Amino acid sequence: MRLPNGENLDIITMPVVTTIPKKAPKKKEPLEKKKLIARDISWLSFNARVLQEAADNTVPLHERIRFLGIFSNNLDEFFRVRVATLKRMMSFGRSAKMHLEENPDQILDEIQTKVIEQQREFDLVWKDIASEMEAQRIFMRTEKQLNKEQQKFVQNYFNEKVRTNIIPLMIESIQQFPILRDKSIYLAIVLARQDNSVRQKFALIEIPTTVLPRFIIIPSKPGEHDIILLEDLIRFCLPNIFSYFGYDKFLAHIIKVTRDAELDIDNDISDSLIHQIEKGLKDRRKGKPVRFVYDKDIDPLLLEYLMRRQGLSGKDNLIPGARIHNFKDFMDFPESIFPPHLHRKTFTHPLFVNATSVMHVIHRQDVMLHFPYHSFDTIIDLLREAAIDPNVSSIKITAYRLARNSKIINALINAVRNGKQVTVVLELRARFDEAANLEWKARLEEEGVKVLLGIPNTKVHAKLCVIKKRVGTKTLQYGFVSTGNLNEKTGRIYGDHCLLTANRSIIADINRIFTYLENPRHDIKILEGCKTLPVSPLNMRDTFLRLIDREIKNARHKKKAAITIKMNSLSDATLIAKLYEAAKAGVDIKMVIRGICCAYTENKKWKKNMTAVSIVDEYLEHARVFIFHHGGQQKVYIASCDWMIRNLDHRVEAAAPITDPAIRQELIDIMNIQLSGNVKARILDNEQKNEYKKDGDKKIRTQVEIFRYLYEKQYQ
């Protein structure tokens, strides 16, 4: 593969599992005996849908590049967590079985096959994108392709911004070999002299992409855009770094390590949890390598040295590649060089456009916000209003993933400064956000916020808030139940629903959940008082099983029976088995599943096959919606949880029934739009081939249609 400038490039984002011996192929079981699609294989099918977006030439070029970055980042996390877990299971034997992974060695074999296939597809997609970049006069220059003006620019940039951010390591002189950071890339360098008068030496430089951009726009000809990668800029300046030692010949190649990212944390949820997480984060940096990726042209002696010093061998997934690694950074490829892309703008829900008080509106009626179509600012406005309202006495809220400069946190701190009692349930174990949440904990407690940390063996994933206000002799309460995180950044790109309500039965249950979270013993009996909100780990699965059973009963009595569900992932064996039973009875089942779908959707013994689609588009489909026909009295829920074991048994989650008829119909309409989509919807069949849904004469791109529906419906 070649860049527009002719430079060879081999994207090493597709690791190959090399340690599992091939077995003789097993005979295919009849579908009736197959119960579930392996979770990890289904996940790879989802990532293939991300790659499809990168391949779609109707998508703007910079968005296609971004999807390649998303694909690569997804795969990195897949290997850090899922492949690492499968390898652990193999080490511990059958006693380590988790969820659906009964045969981890077989699944690793399948992963190997699929990632090789996706690597080939990735290469073809990048080749096509590179050609399109060339057509748009965009070039990526290496250190050997710079003209004099560019060389001067690069030298100045290095001296002004790079030099102080790198620490060259003469690794042969270091007794303890440095631990290579996960997610980082390094230049592994051979230092020598042209006349071979001194023995060559080895050095290592971490590329400082956490503090400097990976892509640097350099002076270009009129009508062109030239870009150099940060590592190539450093390559050009190697003589400035090492000439002091008398070297004048340099060979530099990129290497990368991917490590096991799982944290080993005891069940104790006392203050020691903080120390456990801090230790776990340190240990994660030293986690067992899952991949070692290197430039295939690297000096053999340097490669052998790096392997020996890190204790690596052929069993450690050594992946030879070429020049560029960490393609995830391409998510931040500079957009300024591309023609402007007109994004749909978020808009304020009409009930709040001229409202002087968010709480007054919620007091009168329930309101459903649909992100990112509706502005996330309404949530921030609600918390800001509560922070300064003299009648508000307390705010309680859950937090899982927060924005880097969180306006949510700022509003809560302002509330404390104004004399309110503020309680934040902060989940320290939110994967890859552990360090950020530790910092938020310290800041919140410094300001006087009461911070609750979680529950043994259970993550708090519910998205809840309750605000108490005293007006005269009355106590008024407002709150919300959301499907997504309280994060204003992702609120602009994640598709979610948030119910703002003063409904007494819903608020009562939210208070019960907070009482449970605040109770030192975390007595599950407290949650048994919840009469309106289904809650995990208490009764969420059972609630949905009962609702499906009702549809099965109606179908068997020849009555209309239908289920429409939307979620990120479907892998819970019990609920999938119940869906199979419903399909066999003739229940009309329609599903929108963005990611993992472990359910087969077709079986000749069913009266009605299930239909399932996955929508991958500009926004990340993140909402969870459940609709049951229920004898014509439709039951509609939103929830924070997917149908996965971890959500239903090992997390605190909440679902909310939609009782307002107008909002209920609004959600039904939105789901019908998603089910009718035929532009960005892929069919999830038994083979998960990701074929585009093409039915209908009119092209329906669901995210465009939902925006139009909400805008026209609310502003007509």
Side-chain angles (χ1 to χ4, degrees):
M1 177 185 317
R2 292 183 180 273
L3 286 171
N5 56 29
E7 181 67 24
N8 279 325
L9 175 66
D10 186 10
I11 308 300
I12 300 302
T13 57
M14 305 297 305
V16 180
V17 178
T18 60
T19 62
I20 310 302
K22 289 289 184 182
K23 298 180 176 63
K26 294 184 178 180
K27 292 182 180 180
K28 288 188 175 181
E29 295 179 285
L31 180 59
E32 290 76 11
K33 293 185 179 180
K34 290 183 177 180
K35 296 181 179 179
L36 299 166
I37 299 170
R39 160 181 166 175
D40 297 303
I41 302 307
S42 181
W43 184 92
L44 287 172
S45 180
F46 154 67
N47 213 30
R49 297 192 282 278
V50 176
L51 192 56
Q52 283 180 322
E53 283 299 289
D56 187 347
N57 58 19
T58 67
V59 175
L61 182 58
H62 71 277
E63 288 290 318
R64 296 178 66 191
I65 295 171
R66 185 175 68 88
F67 274 112
L68 282 184
I70 293 170
F71 173 89
S72 178
N73 186 64
N74 286 348
L75 199 67
D76 280 350
E77 292 195 4
F78 176 72
F79 269 78
R80 288 187 189 105
V81 178
R82 296 302 308 158
V83 170
T85 298
L86 290 168
K87 286 178 172 291
R88 286 185 180 198
M89 292 171 66
M90 288 184 63
S91 299
F92 294 132
R94 297 188 66 83
S95 62
K97 281 191 209 175
M98 299 167 58
H99 309 314
L100 308 177
E101 294 83 358
E102 295 185 2
N103 298 295
D105 53 344
Q106 180 180 339
I107 293 172
L108 283 170
D109 277 345
E110 291 187 57
I111 289 172
Q112 179 183 23
T113 300
K114 287 190 176 294
V115 296
I116 290 172
E117 293 172 357
Q118 290 183 352
Q119 172 72 70
R120 297 193 189 103
E121 179 64 21
F122 188 100
D123 291 346
L124 292 173
V125 173
W126 172 247
K127 183 177 181 180
D128 182 55
I129 289 175
S131 297
E132 182 61 27
M133 289 172 65
E134 183 178 22
Q136 295 191 23
R137 312 302 294 165
I138 299 168
F139 302 98
M140 294 179 67
R141 304 297 186 189
T142 72
E143 75 280 4
K144 297 178 180 179
Q145 299 171 318
L146 305 176
N147 59 39
K148 289 185 178 180
E149 182 185 10
Q150 291 170 336
Q151 290 178 7
K152 183 177 180 181
F153 175 91
V154 163
Q155 188 67 64
N156 289 337
Y157 189 96
F158 176 82
N159 289 331
E160 293 173 7
K161 298 186 179 182
V162 181
R163 184 185 294 275
T164 56
N165 285 299
I166 60 174
I167 303 175
L169 299 175
M170 306 298 289
I171 49 180
E172 291 174 280
S173 305
I174 302 174
Q175 186 174 2
Q176 183 70 36
F177 192 81
I179 296 171
L180 302 188
R181 297 174 187 270
D182 194 22
K183 301 185 181 182
S184 292
I185 53 175
Y186 294 80
L187 272 180
I189 308 159
V190 178
L191 310 174
R193 282 191 61 83
Q194 298 286 351
D195 58 9
N196 296 321
S197 59
V198 297
R199 187 175 70 87
Q200 67 180 24
K201 294 283 188 180
F202 301 144
L204 206 61
I205 295 177
E206 182 177 358
I207 306 303
T209 53
T210 57
V211 292
L212 293 172
R214 179 102 183 261
F215 308 96
I216 298 107
I217 300 173
I218 58 179
S220 314
K221 295 178 182 178
E224 293 185 359
H225 297 284
D226 287 356
I227 297 172
I228 189 170
L229 292 169
L230 181 57
E231 59 263 34
D232 287 339
L233 185 145
I234 294 173
R235 276 186 173 108
F236 181 82
C237 297
L238 287 177
N240 301 61
I241 302 171
F242 295 108
S243 57
Y244 172 80
F245 299 98
Y247 299 109
D248 60 7
K249 181 182 177 182
F250 309 96
L251 299 174
H253 304 278
I254 289 291
I255 62 171
K256 169 188 173 182
V257 170
T258 303
R259 298 187 180 278
D260 184 337
E262 286 293 86
L263 298 185
D264 291 315
I265 298 176
D266 294 335
N267 293 338
D268 181 17
I269 205 71
S270 65
D271 287 343
S272 64
L273 174 66
I274 302 164
H275 303 297
Q276 292 178 42
I277 290 178
E278 288 173 340
K279 181 180 182 298
L281 289 172
K282 291 177 182 177
D283 290 343
R284 176 185 282 173
R285 297 170 195 145
K286 299 181 286 186
K288 186 176 180 180
V290 182
R291 290 183 297 176
F292 180 69
V293 182
Y294 60 92
D295 189 329
K296 67 179 183 298
D297 295 326
I298 195 171
D299 180 271
L301 291 176
L302 174 57
L303 176 61
E304 188 277 332
Y305 179 83
L306 291 169
M307 290 171 59
R308 177 164 49 83
R309 290 297 301 269
Q310 295 182 91
L312 299 174
S313 68
K315 296 181 179 180
D316 295 297
N317 290 333
L318 305 177
I319 313 296
R323 191 175 181 92
I324 298 180
H325 306 308
N326 260 24
F327 212 88
K328 68 181 181 63
D329 292 336
F330 279 61
M331 287 192 288
D332 297 318
F333 198 85
E335 290 191 24
S336 60
I337 63 176
F338 296 100
H341 176 50
L342 298 178
H343 292 275
R344 294 178 292 279
K345 292 184 178 180
T346 63
F347 57 93
T348 302
H349 191 291
L351 290 174
F352 299 112
V353 171
N354 296 312
T356 57
S357 166
V358 176
M359 283 187 281
H360 287 173
V361 174
I362 301 171
H363 183 70
R364 292 195 302 268
Q365 65 186 99
D366 286 358
V367 183
M368 179 73 80
L369 299 177
H370 307 283
F371 307 128
Y373 311 99
H374 289 143
S375 172
F376 192 86
D377 288 348
T378 300
I379 299 296
I380 298 167
D381 290 342
L382 170 63
L383 294 174
R384 284 175 173 165
E385 179 184 335
I388 62 175
D389 188 330
N391 295 315
V392 168
S393 59
S394 68
I395 303 171
K396 295 181 180 181
I397 196 166
T398 60
Y400 195 76
R401 300 189 193 277
L402 295 158
R404 180 171 295 180
N405 299 306
S406 175
K407 295 178 181 178
I408 298 287
I409 293 294
N410 290 340
L412 296 173
I413 289 173
N414 192 33
V416 171
R417 291 173 179 173
N418 278 288
K420 320 300 179 187
Q421 292 181 343
V422 178
T423 301
V424 176
V425 181
L426 187 63
E427 182 49 73
L428 294 186
R429 292 162 295 182
R431 184 178 287 138
F432 301 124
D433 276 73
E434 300 97 342
N437 285 355
L438 278 172
E439 292 178 9
W440 285 126
K441 174 186 180 297
R443 182 179 173 190
L444 287 167
E445 289 184 333
E446 185 179 311
E447 295 286 347
V449 175
K450 180 181 179 182
V451 178
L452 304 177
L453 298 183
I455 300 173
N457 247 351
T458 305
K459 288 184 180 180
V460 180
H461 193 249
K463 324 300 185 189
L464 302 171
C465 177
V466 62
I467 298 166
K468 289 188 179 180
K469 180 177 179 179
R470 187 76 176 173
V471 179
T473 59
K474 292 184 178 180
T475 297
L476 306 179
Q477 297 188 70
Y478 313 89
F480 59 73
V481 181
S482 182
T483 68
N485 296 311
L486 302 180
N487 186 316
E488 57 268 27
K489 181 179 179 182
T490 58
R492 295 193 294 269
I493 54 175
Y494 281 26
D496 275 304
H497 307 298
C498 181
L499 177 68
L500 302 174
T501 185
N503 181 292
R504 290 186 178 183
S505 60
I506 291 177
I507 293 296
D509 281 358
I510 293 176
N511 278 315
R512 290 186 181 98
I513 294 171
F514 277 109
T515 300
Y516 168 69
L517 295 173
E518 292 174 289
N519 183 278
R521 294 184 296 109
H522 304 294
D523 187 351
I524 198 73
K525 291 182 179 179
I526 297 171
L527 294 180
E528 292 175 358
C530 293
K531 304 302 181 185
T532 302
L533 303 186
V535 182
S536 291
L538 179 69
N539 62 1
M540 184 80 75
R541 183 189 284 107
D542 288 343
T543 298
F544 288 126
L545 286 172
R546 285 196 300 271
L547 288 164
I548 298 171
D549 275 332
R550 172 71 182 265
E551 300 304 317
I552 293 172
K553 181 179 179 181
N554 286 341
R556 287 173 177 166
H557 286 84
K558 309 301 181 184
K559 297 179 181 179
K560 182 175 174 59
I563 300 170
T564 300
I565 58 179
K566 177 183 178 180
M567 63 188 87
N568 296 314
S569 298
L570 170 62
S571 66
D572 183 76
T574 303
L575 281 163
I576 290 174
K578 185 60 68 174
L579 289 175
Y580 289 169
E581 184 183 343
K584 188 175 182 180
V587 179
D588 187 15
I589 302 172
K590 295 181 172 65
M591 303 188 292
V592 179
I593 312 291
R594 187 194 82 225
I596 296 166
C597 180
C598 295
Y600 290 100
T601 56
E602 301 163 338
N603 190 310
K604 62 184 180 182
K605 292 188 176 181
W606 295 346
K607 286 187 178 180
K608 280 193 177 183
N609 284 325
M610 295 187 280
T611 61
V613 296
S614 174
I615 298 168
V616 180
D617 199 354
E618 182 177 359
Y619 305 141
L620 181 80
E621 295 291 344
H622 190 255
R624 291 89 167 183
V625 180
F626 308 94
I627 302 172
F628 302 88
H629 185 262
H630 206 71
Q633 304 297 315
Q634 287 174 307
K635 295 272 189 180
V636 179
Y637 294 81
I638 63 169
S640 59
C641 65
D642 297 313
W643 285 2
M644 303 179 75
I645 289 175
R646 71 182 188 191
N647 297 92
L648 300 169
D649 295 335
H650 305 295
R651 290 185 175 184
V652 175
E653 307 270 15
I658 307 304
T659 58
D660 182 280
I663 296 176
R664 190 164 55 231
Q665 188 59 50
E666 194 170 87
L667 275 172
I668 293 170
D669 290 345
I670 288 173
M671 287 304 304
N672 285 336
I673 291 172
Q674 295 217 315
L675 291 167
S676 67
N678 56 16
V679 175
K680 294 294 185 180
R682 286 80 163 174
I683 299 168
L684 299 182
D685 56 15
N686 285 1
E687 292 76 33
Q688 300 203 350
K689 297 189 295 288
N690 290 331
E691 293 180 352
Y692 283 90
K693 186 168 175 274
K694 295 292 185 182
D695 58 337
D697 297 327
K698 178 185 175 183
K699 287 187 176 182
I700 299 174
R701 184 174 175 182
T702 56
Q703 292 181 355
V704 174
E705 292 302 318
I706 291 171
F707 178 90
R708 182 179 293 121
Y709 166 82
L710 290 171
Y711 194 86
E712 291 180 354
K713 175 177 180 289
Q714 297 177 355
Y715 282 90
Q716 59 189 356

